Amino acid sequence: VFVNLQKAECSFINGTEKVRFVERLIYNRLQYVMFDSDVGHYVGFTPHGEKNAKRLNSDPALLEYKRTQVDRYCRHNYEGSHPYLPVRR
């Protein structure tokens, strides 16, 4: 059995003052590529992941799309899900 997983998450600090979008690509419980909006590009964690990160980072349209996920995906969904989000101190 092979597992291929793509996971996206948003982190909110002080409401929507500081928002971070992270997308993780995982194969068989091993994260091989990650996009972090704070970094602004893909990072590879395995030899295969480094090749994929290089390929993904060579597409400026894709990088711009992923960078705008903070507004399109995170901030857009914050208002509807805000009452259900856990508060961390």
Side-chain angles (χ1 to χ4, degrees):
V1 176
F2 298 101
V3 177
N4 191 25
L5 178 67
Q6 180 177 355
K7 183 177 180 182
E9 57 191 60
C10 299
S11 300
F12 301 96
I13 299 173
N14 220 8
T16 58
E17 186 177 312
K18 173 114 173 78
V19 181
R20 180 179 176 212
F21 171 77
V22 177
E23 179 185 45
R24 302 173 192 279
L25 301 175
I26 302 165
Y27 181 75
N28 280 354
R29 295 185 282 170
L30 178 65
Q31 177 176 301
Y32 65 96
V33 174
M34 179 180 83
F35 177 84
D36 186 344
S37 63
D38 287 350
V39 177
H41 58 84
Y42 285 91
V43 177
F45 295 99
T46 64
H48 177 68
E50 289 174 1
K51 286 186 225 174
N52 278 297
K54 185 177 179 182
R55 178 181 55 82
L56 293 166
N57 289 332
S58 69
D59 185 355
L62 175 65
L63 287 178
E64 185 60 29
Y65 177 78
K66 289 296 178 184
R67 289 178 187 134
T68 59
Q69 288 286 75
V70 169
D71 293 322
R72 186 182 317 103
Y73 180 72
C74 296
R75 285 194 174 102
H76 174 75
N77 291 313
Y78 179 79
E79 292 303 322
S81 58
H82 176 67
Y84 308 105
L85 296 174
V87 177
R88 297 182 184 160
R89 305 228 183 236

